[in-house]
Amino acid sequence: MLMPSPICVHLQCPFTSPLLGNPIRFKSNFRINHSKTQRASYAPNLPEKNDIVSNQKENNGLPIKENLDERTTKLGRRSLVDKIKALPSKEKTEIITSPELNGDLGTILEFNDMLWALLTAQEPDLALKLFDEMSSCGLVPDSWTFSIVIRCYCENKNLGEAERVLGYMLENGFRPNFSAVTVLLNSLSKKGKLQRAFGVLDIMDKIGLKPTVQTYNCLLKGLCYVGRVEEAFEMLVRMKKEAIVEPDIFSYTAVMDGYCKVGRSDEAVELLNEALEMGLAPDVFTFNTLFNGFCIEGRPLEGVKILKLMKEKDCKPDYISYSTLLHGLLKWRKTKTALRIYNEMLGIGLNVDKKMVNSLVRGLCTRSCKGRKEDLFEDAYLVFEKLKSDDDSVIDPSTYDLVIQALCMEKKTDEASVNLRKMIQMGFSPRMVTFNGVIQALCVEGKVIEALFVLASLNEGGRVPSRVCYSILIDELNRHGSTLGACYMYGAALKRGLIPSSKPQQ
DNA sequence: CTAGGGTTAG
């Protein structure tokens, strides 16, 4: 039996891409098996337009319902995707090389399904590899094939290649589908390749794919991303005024975010009001964008006002809302408000990031020490105790330091020394001021022996006590009439090369 | 149209 030898169809085009001005060049060879495709004539290098058209007609003309097996139904496709996902990565590669695994890819419909399934299963590389090996299945790519390939390249971040395929399609009478073009436009926008994204928009216009509001929103995002906020705003205005598409809340959020990112949150709020006037319902994304803006700008309290507005508009703040605000409040030292937000988060069962809780504790300690505000310290200690009792407790050494110092300041000496010990147990090295504070506090309460123990723990840790440390102890020993002890301390200091400011009493 | 848009940060 004589089999016709496969013809190699090199998809290399002599023309230039309308997109790039570069020659199109595909690596793949499409070998057409005549026994299967029954196609009569091919140009030596390219599929001809007529063939392409007939190929498509053939597919579209099929009485689809009867001819589709379970794989070509929506559910069947989905299960193919799931199957691919479930495969170990080794076998994933095999699916495109072994016919037993990939089943019969005899028709272009089935082939495209497999391509699509690989793309959907986040395996664009495999899909492209399969596309490369179309020849062995004896198939010619159609519009669907190319559309999927474009999306594969977008997924791969190989946008230049995606544009090249699109250019090839246009030159050869293939009609890219909406999704491929949209994905490409979006990918380009996301990367800030605005000129090329607008190029795709032009193409959509030329081939009669009507951009939707989503399409424009991608461009708005892209413009903002590269800092062209003003242009984004103008585009938003044009969308509305010239009734190109009706802007939705995504459009507004995109431009608002643009303003927020460059420190123009007030203008973002103006846009919010405009959206509200238009009857659009701002959602959690819209508000979160504003929180972020005000926090970046150093106006977190404005953000808290927006939180109130958000609730009035029946929009439920989420973890990001609170985290953004809390972070901003802590950063800009709005400690009391931060505490309020923290408690509100706990109240609705949100888990607060441990770093922020640490920061809150430190903020409260610092403020209570500076302002001698006892109630603030109580708050700090409550937050600290809760932090310690959490299962996934993470305590920063600097938090420990500040809590201990604040405890000393508040004359909670025993607790201070307990926490100091715990801190050392945990392998942290307390700051010298912390040691000094505890020693001082103990001395003030007349607990000299304990103070000496603290000094000892300092030595055990291989640390050199500071001059202040000795001075405090000498003063205290003097006060107790223990000249001997004071002399001993003085000597110990001198031995370390430190000259205490206090001397033993004569 | 087998698809497609967004928000935090240390």
Side-chain angles (χ1 to χ4, degrees):
Chain A
M1 173 87 177
L2 256 167
M3 291 293 282
S5 65
I7 299 169
C8 285
V9 181
H10 299 267
L11 280 183
Q12 290 176 349
C13 321
F15 47 77
T16 53
S17 155
L19 280 166
L20 296 175
N22 294 329
I24 303 286
R25 196 168 274 273
F26 284 108
K27 288 180 203 116
S28 18
N29 297 343
F30 296 106
R31 274 181 289 140
I32 310 301
N33 188 333
H34 280 246
S35 69
K36 223 167 181 177
T37 53
Q38 302 282 319
R39 227 160 284 275
S41 66
Y42 276 94
N45 290 326
L46 280 171
E48 277 177 5
K49 266 189 196 170
N50 285 345
D51 290 310
I52 291 150
V53 170
S54 73
N55 192 353
Q56 286 188 318
K57 266 194 189 145
E58 216 171 83
N59 293 338
N60 294 339
L62 282 176
I64 303 241
K65 284 260 157 58
E66 284 89 352
N67 279 285
L68 294 187
D69 62 353
E70 51 101 16
R71 241 182 54 191
T72 37
T73 61
K74 210 171 193 177
L75 257 175
R77 272 192 216 106
R78 202 57 242 182
S79 82
L80 183 55
V81 173
D82 293 338
K83 250 187 256 170
I84 294 171
K85 276 188 179 163
L87 284 176
S89 50
K90 245 190 180 171
E91 290 170 46
K92 274 183 193 162
T93 321
E94 282 168 26
I95 199 168
I96 65 162
T97 49
S98 102
E100 292 85 51
L101 268 171
N102 66 32
D104 184 20
L105 296 182
T107 70
I108 187 70
L109 273 182
E110 286 162 334
F111 183 88
N112 286 344
D113 278 347
M114 177 59 83
L115 218 53
W116 179 84
L118 285 166
L119 169 67
T120 312
Q122 326 255 45
E123 296 288 344
D125 286 317
L126 280 184
L128 289 169
K129 217 169 156 221
L130 180 62
F131 172 66
D132 235 27
E133 288 161 12
M134 264 190 108
S135 51
S136 59
C137 304
L139 291 169
V140 189
D142 65 5
S143 290
W144 247 108
T145 320
F146 285 125
S147 294
I148 298 167
V149 167
I150 289 176
R151 288 178 51 199
C152 287
Y153 279 126
C154 288
E155 194 82 14
N156 264 347
K157 314 276 175 245
N158 198 343
L159 302 186
E161 207 57 41
E163 285 172 297
R164 244 167 255 147
V165 178
L166 178 59
Y168 173 80
M169 291 182 79
L170 299 176
E171 287 288 337
N172 291 278
F174 290 96
R175 185 180 167 78
N177 64 28
F178 196 89
S179 103
V181 180
T182 310
V183 169
L184 177 55
L185 185 142
N186 190 15
S187 304
L188 288 167
S189 302
K190 261 192 196 143
K191 289 202 115 187
K193 313 286 182 197
L194 264 295
Q195 200 169 352
R196 285 153 71 187
F198 277 105
V200 175
L201 187 71
D202 276 347
I203 287 169
M204 290 182 81
D205 183 50
K206 268 186 207 129
I207 63 178
L209 288 173
K210 202 170 169 352
T212 64
V213 64
Q214 282 108 318
T215 316
Y216 283 99
N217 290 346
C218 291
L219 293 167
L220 288 176
K221 270 233 97 221
L223 285 169
C224 292
Y225 176 72
V226 296
R228 291 155 66 178
V229 196
E230 222 54 66
E231 281 171 74
F233 176 73
E234 280 158 22
M235 195 166 137
L236 179 67
V237 172
R238 269 214 322 279
M239 282 161 69
K240 209 166 74 168
K241 277 217 174 112
E242 298 171 25
I244 302 168
V245 285
E246 186 70 14
D248 59 12
I249 194 60
F250 286 79
S251 324
Y252 276 92
T253 305
V255 182
M256 285 169 65
D257 191 44
Y259 277 127
C260 285
K261 292 266 157 68
V262 294
R264 295 166 67 176
S265 303
D266 288 325
E267 282 157 278
V269 173
E270 280 173 33
L271 276 177
L272 173 72
N273 290 327
E274 194 179 306
L276 286 168
E277 276 165 30
M278 284 179 66
L280 294 172
D283 59 16
V284 64
F285 289 88
T286 318
F287 286 109
N288 288 352
T289 285
L290 284 172
F291 297 143
N292 186 233
F294 280 121
C295 289
I296 290 173
E297 265 187 65
R299 300 160 67 196
L301 295 178
E302 291 296 317
V304 176
K305 279 188 205 160
I306 297 289
L307 179 67
K308 193 161 162 262
L309 176 68
M310 181 181 190
K311 289 171 186 162
E312 282 166 14
K313 296 287 169 198
D314 287 322
C315 186
K316 202 171 157 237
D318 65 0
Y319 177 73
I320 292 181
S321 320
Y322 281 108
S323 295
T324 308
L325 271 176
L326 184 56
H327 186 264
L329 289 163
L330 290 167
K331 182 174 173 190
W332 300 99
R333 301 276 131 89
K334 302 295 174 198
T335 315
K336 280 191 104 165
T337 313
L339 177 66
R340 213 188 79 213
I341 296 297
Y342 164 80
N343 282 323
E344 205 172 311
M345 288 181 81
L346 289 190
I348 57 174
L350 289 175
N351 208 2
V352 188
D353 181 274
K354 293 290 176 284
K355 277 191 178 151
M356 289 204 263
V357 184
N358 272 276
S359 168
L360 176 61
V361 172
R362 290 195 299 268
L364 288 166
C365 286
T366 309
R367 277 208 52 176
S368 83
C369 287
K370 266 194 210 146
R372 300 287 151 112
K373 291 189 179 155
E374 255 179 60
D375 53 332
L376 269 187
F377 178 75
E378 270 162 39
D379 290 324
Y381 208 60
L382 280 175
V383 180
F384 180 64
E385 284 294 312
K386 166 146 185 8
L387 178 64
K388 274 206 289 194
S389 68
D390 282 339
D391 304 329
D392 52 346
S393 156
V394 181
I395 303 177
D396 195 275
S398 64
T399 307
Y400 253 121
D401 273 310
L402 281 173
V403 168
I404 294 165
Q405 288 167 39
L407 280 166
C408 294
M409 203 77 89
E410 295 292 319
K411 316 249 183 299
K412 309 242 159 74
T413 315
D414 291 330
E415 277 167 274
S417 102
V418 165
N419 275 296
L420 182 70
R421 238 172 292 151
K422 201 174 275 172
M423 183 177 176
I424 294 168
Q425 260 171 31
M426 290 184 71
F428 295 139
S429 192
R431 293 182 57 196
M432 198 54 71
V433 281
T434 309
F435 277 110
N436 292 349
V438 176
I439 289 171
Q440 165 109 60
L442 286 167
C443 287
V444 168
E445 289 188 13
K447 297 171 174 167
V448 187
I449 305 293
E450 275 187 59
L452 286 169
F453 272 120
V454 173
L455 183 71
S457 73
L458 191 48
N459 281 316
E460 275 164 30
R463 306 266 300 270
V464 180
S466 71
R467 201 171 80 107
V468 187
C469 216
Y470 289 104
S471 305
I472 295 165
L473 277 163
I474 290 163
D475 281 342
E476 194 53 33
L477 288 162
N478 280 338
R479 222 153 54 82
H480 282 250
S482 172
T483 310
L484 207 62
C487 284
Y488 175 78
M489 275 299 131
Y490 197 80
L494 290 179
K495 233 159 100 182
R496 292 207 179 262
L498 301 167
I499 303 170
S501 56
S502 313
K503 288 192 166 69
Q505 273 171 354
Q506 269 86 3

